[in-house]
Amino acid sequence: MAFLEIDNVCKSFGPVDVLKNISLDVEEGGFLVLVGPSGCGKSTLLNTIAGLEGLTTGEIRIDGDVIDDLPPAERNIAMVFQSYALYPNMNVGQNIAFGLEMRGMPKAERDAKVQEVAKTLQIEALLERRPGQLSGGQRQRVAMGRALVRNPKLFLFDEPLSNLDAKLRVDMRTEIKRMHQTFGTTIVYVTHDQIEAMTLGTKIAVLKGGIVQQYGTPAEIYNNPSNLFVADFMGSPAMNLIPVEIDGSWVRLTRDGDDPLVLDFDQLPASVGNMSGKQVIMGIRPEAITDSQGGAATRASSHRTVTAKCRIDVVEPAGADIFAITALGGKEVVTRLHQDWVGQAGQNHDLVFNLDKVVFFDAQSGERLR
Amino acid sequence: MSSYASQKSAIGAGKLVRAALYAVLILFAVYYLLPLFVMLVNSVKTLDEIRGGNMMSLPEHFTFEPWLTAWSTAQIGVEPTGLRPFFVNSLFLVVPAVVISATLGALNGYVLTKWRFPGDKIIFGLMLFACFIPFQIVLIPMARILGLIGLAGTTSGLVLVHVVYGLGFTTLFFRNYYAAFPDELIKAAKMDGAGFIRTFTRILLPSSGPIIVVTVIWQFTNIWNDFLFGASFADFDSMPMTVALNNLVSSSTGVKEYNVHFAGAILAALPTLVVYIVSGRYFVRGLMAGAVKG
């Protein structure tokens, strides 16, 4: 039995269905990330777990107990909000202690708990300050302190990093991960940033239109996307999605002003082989197309690679890698080359395709062909 | 060199504009302060001196007598009581009326923004509508209701009238102020275990300073200065200051004691003046705070 179970949850606002039969579960100490574009229902799902919104049908259980009908305060859940929602009229210490005070904990005990939490989060020096006098990072720490001090069964994070600047965001991401590792807390985390999702989660649920598109570990989501939406949404730069023709075990990619590129897969799954003459989308991540130097490593680790000359249209050095753009199947295809690669745009170069990492989708339904 | 000259002339022009600006401002300030000046100087003159003419001149014989007369011995009703008992009446009227209407307005604003319910916008629209109802229209129905519930001619009745009439305004003020108050703070308080009342008293109210000041000034001045409701619904014992002042000034017997009238009028205006001076800067700040989010 999982620790947090979300069982067939539906939520409608009037005629609008925001959540449709959502079923997810998280182990104790797990880190579930809900990710999706805005309006996908991820925040609504978080609010129903918190009890800030009721659910239309379905059930939510923590540790085997149904919590649907409990008010938010009795669910033993703490939440960190996007704006941190620190009470502006109280100082940091009072902010952290407020939840304990509402639960009727005596002052001496409260103070001891606040000190303890402030020490672990290194905000002891800030206890007398008002939220308005704190920096973004300090505010986030106070918000986490307010959640930690109650020692809840479950933590909810609602896009806590989206108000921070880029550098601080990376630091705070690490901090959240460290907190998760140190305290072994169970966390449900909402974000629209797929990098946050990949780096933080032990499990990721990709949502769109109130439906779970895919639920799995970060590696599963990244390597085996279950449909075109997930393939496109997760990963940066995004997965190349190229229209192809299937011919036996050959996959043909058209090229402007050149012969088509043919990738010989030796063997394709039956579901793909059957698609001869139908529209199929091939998905391949940028790092699965590389230059001959990077290709050496690829060849060593994978079953099947194909090397082909392709015209490089644009070269974008990014420091650690070089992204080179070529055109296949009428699409711009991003490839990820070794940082020492030397070459010019507008010329043909050898590219190594790692066929182990290729996935296929039905162009009509967008579903994965396995 | 030429740019230096043009810069210099630009500064000169700037000074000229500034001087003109101050001249206009001072002119208007004098314009508005003149009546107060006339009232003040004439309230400390003897009646003979006023009769002698020249309202603008400073007093030759300075006297506090008119003030004392207006306050404690002027003939208003049958007894020579001065304005004092009516000043007290006004205080007993204005304090509870302001407190009750502001409290209810704050609660209304809280519910209408943070505990939304179906039809809340219609309710708010109707309350807003109350702000546009002229005093005169409600006089007769209000008199009838006060009679029915047995509060006719009492201070409590007058308090009720002002609370009902002021509710539309106080609700409007607080609703607009709380609409800009972050919902996440309310959610956080819910998660922390604060209920309806404690969320209001511990989270919302401590952040409501500016709008409370605005509401108090607005309600205080309106209720203190009200004449129509006071004249219509109060009897002699519950008569507010404004009505008493009118009776003092327009009494048709004896000599017109202008100096006493001036002193009485200043006395009547003093509380609102004090409220403005003490909290005026919050008034402007509060109006702005409700208008701009963040």
Side-chain angles (χ1 to χ4, degrees):
Chain A
M1 189 182 64
F3 184 69
L4 167 68
E5 295 168 294
I6 300 165
D7 193 355
N8 246 330
V9 163
C10 297
K11 169 80 185 169
S12 328
F13 290 109
V16 186
D17 295 330
V18 185
L19 301 176
K20 298 166 194 163
N21 292 316
I22 305 253
S23 291
L24 298 169
D25 50 66
V26 193
E27 300 302 320
E28 183 148 22
F31 198 129
L32 167 65
V33 178
L34 305 172
V35 66
S38 43
C40 71
K42 55 191 192 296
S43 287
T44 308
L45 181 57
L46 200 73
N47 282 342
T48 56
I49 299 172
L52 296 170
E53 273 170 46
L55 31 84
T56 310
T57 58
E59 216 172 67
I60 297 176
R61 291 182 291 272
I62 292 181
D63 225 355
D65 302 325
V66 179
I67 58 162
D68 300 352
D69 296 327
L70 294 177
E74 288 170 31
R75 295 186 177 201
N76 209 353
I77 291 175
M79 189 156 171
V80 176
F81 292 89
Q82 183 170 2
S83 66
Y84 307 134
L86 301 178
Y87 309 125
N89 53 304
M90 303 181 198
N91 68 28
V92 168
Q94 290 164 334
N95 259 286
I96 296 175
F98 187 69
L100 304 176
E101 190 191 336
M102 290 298 113
R103 281 167 176 73
M105 185 183 279
K107 177 136 180 32
E109 208 174 322
R110 257 174 13 222
D111 289 345
K113 284 236 177 202
V114 170
Q115 282 300 333
E116 192 187 316
V117 165
K119 204 170 171 186
T120 40
L121 290 171
Q122 297 169 349
I123 50 171
E124 291 154 291
L126 308 176
L127 286 178
E128 297 297 319
R129 294 215 202 150
R130 293 286 173 105
Q133 299 165 304
L134 302 179
S135 70
Q138 290 169 332
R139 280 181 209 185
Q140 158 150 345
R141 261 187 226 153
V142 175
M144 291 208 294
R146 193 169 65 179
L148 276 171
V149 76
R150 281 167 42 196
N151 198 17
K153 284 185 169 174
L154 184 66
F155 282 82
L156 307 178
F157 284 83
D158 189 3
E159 307 209 24
L161 302 181
S162 55
N163 285 349
L164 303 179
D165 60 61
K167 186 173 177 340
L168 193 56
R169 194 179 306 171
V170 176
D171 293 346
M172 286 296 132
R173 201 167 71 197
T174 314
E175 193 130 317
I176 291 174
K177 187 132 193 174
R178 184 174 296 135
M179 179 193 108
H180 177 239
Q181 282 163 0
T182 319
F183 297 98
T185 46
T186 314
I187 295 178
V188 181
Y189 186 104
V190 162
T191 181
H192 60 263
D193 180 356
Q194 45 90 20
I195 296 177
E196 264 173 46
M198 293 293 295
T199 49
L200 289 172
T202 58
K203 284 281 193 79
I204 297 177
V206 184
L207 277 88
K208 185 196 161 201
I211 296 169
V212 177
Q213 303 290 322
Q214 190 173 0
Y215 179 48
T217 64
E220 280 166 8
I221 303 265
Y222 190 76
N223 294 321
N224 281 308
S226 65
N227 58 38
L228 277 175
F229 173 76
V230 177
D232 192 38
F233 191 76
M234 301 300 288
S236 172
M239 183 183 255
N240 296 303
L241 298 167
I242 312 160
V244 295
E245 284 168 37
I246 305 291
D247 184 358
S249 67
W250 291 358
V251 173
R252 193 176 288 128
L253 294 82
T254 58
R255 281 193 287 190
D256 250 11
D258 206 344
D259 294 334
L261 171 67
V262 177
L263 302 174
D264 183 358
F265 275 77
D266 193 29
Q267 205 174 4
L268 281 172
S271 59
V272 182
N274 292 340
M275 296 295 282
S276 269
K278 291 188 191 143
Q279 285 179 304
V280 173
I281 305 275
M282 182 182 101
I284 182 164
R285 296 243 173 237
E287 64 268 25
I289 313 175
T290 182
D291 58 311
S292 43
Q293 195 180 351
T298 312
R299 270 190 221 99
S301 66
S302 60
H303 295 99
R304 200 163 182 84
T305 57
V306 168
T307 307
K309 278 222 178 301
C310 294
R311 198 185 128 89
I312 304 291
D313 295 326
V314 180
V315 177
E316 295 176 341
D321 309 283
I322 295 172
F323 293 104
I325 295 166
T326 179
L328 290 170
K331 289 264 191 175
E332 279 192 351
V333 171
V334 180
T335 67
R336 188 169 184 170
L337 310 182
H338 196 272
Q339 60 172 347
D340 297 333
W341 183 79
V342 184
Q344 292 224 313
Q347 293 177 352
N348 282 339
H349 292 280
D350 269 341
L351 291 179
V352 180
F353 293 77
N354 181 355
L355 301 190
D356 289 3
K357 295 283 186 184
V358 169
V359 290
F360 291 96
F361 303 94
D362 184 332
Q364 220 94 68
S365 66
E367 289 303 310
R368 174 80 181 274
L369 299 167
R370 289 176 197 269
Chain B
M1 195 63 199
S2 69
S3 83
Y4 174 72
S6 75
Q7 206 176 10
K8 213 173 161 187
S9 74
I11 292 170
K15 271 185 183 163
L16 210 66
V17 169
R18 193 139 286 257
L21 192 70
Y22 275 106
V24 171
L25 285 175
I26 289 167
L27 189 72
F28 273 96
V30 169
Y31 181 74
Y32 282 113
L33 284 173
L34 214 53
L36 184 66
F37 172 77
V38 170
M39 286 172 74
L40 273 173
V41 292
N42 287 298
S43 70
V44 289
K45 287 180 191 169
T46 60
L47 201 53
D48 289 339
E49 206 179 325
I50 294 175
R51 283 211 201 89
N54 201 355
M55 298 242 293
M56 304 294 287
S57 66
L58 290 170
E60 281 165 30
H61 306 285
F62 186 89
T63 170
F64 256 133
E65 202 54 42
W67 284 74
L68 295 174
T69 312
W71 180 245
S72 51
T73 59
Q75 190 87 25
I76 285 165
V78 186
E79 305 283 330
T81 54
L83 288 168
R84 188 172 48 192
F86 307 102
F87 189 91
V88 173
N89 275 352
S90 267
L91 276 185
F92 278 127
L93 159 67
V94 82
V95 172
V98 168
V99 170
I100 294 171
S101 63
T103 308
L104 288 178
L107 281 170
N108 283 345
Y110 174 45
V111 171
L112 285 170
T113 53
K114 305 302 175 199
W115 296 78
R116 306 281 302 270
F117 54 91
D120 56 355
K121 282 198 170 150
I122 296 169
I123 302 259
F124 178 59
L126 289 174
M127 300 205 75
L128 210 56
F129 191 65
C131 301
F132 300 104
I133 300 174
F135 274 28
Q136 291 80 352
I137 286 180
V138 300
L139 281 182
I140 291 172
M142 191 59 92
R144 177 109 182 91
I145 287 171
L146 286 177
L148 281 175
I149 57 178
L151 288 178
T154 64
T155 302
S156 315
L158 218 47
V159 168
L160 177 72
V161 173
H162 282 294
V163 166
V164 169
Y165 204 85
L167 214 50
F169 292 97
T170 58
T171 302
L172 171 69
F173 291 155
F174 278 100
R175 197 214 81 110
N176 286 356
Y177 189 76
Y178 289 156
F181 193 85
D183 284 342
E184 282 200 340
L185 283 170
I186 306 297
K187 287 187 188 172
K190 269 191 210 171
M191 299 290 294
D192 270 340
F196 179 84
I197 295 292
R198 281 199 292 189
T199 304
F200 181 62
T201 54
R202 296 291 304 275
I203 310 297
L204 219 48
L205 221 45
S207 305
S208 308
I211 202 65
I212 291 175
V213 171
V214 168
T215 311
V216 166
I217 292 182
W218 177 268
Q219 284 295 90
F220 190 95
T221 46
N222 272 346
I223 298 172
W224 186 273
N225 290 338
D226 164 70
F227 178 76
L228 188 60
F229 286 157
S232 309
F233 301 133
D235 61 16
F236 187 78
D237 293 327
S238 58
M239 191 194 289
M241 186 78 167
T242 44
V243 181
L245 181 68
N246 176 64
N247 290 357
L248 169 71
V249 174
S250 61
S251 65
S252 48
T253 55
V255 196
K256 288 257 184 207
E257 296 179 297
Y258 291 111
N259 51 359
V260 175
H261 298 174
F262 279 130
I266 295 171
L267 279 173
L270 219 47
T272 50
L273 213 60
V274 168
V275 167
Y276 263 110
I277 289 168
V278 168
S279 49
R281 68 199 170 100
Y282 290 101
F283 187 69
V284 177
R285 202 186 295 167
L287 286 180
M288 296 310 293
V292 184
K293 198 176 170 181

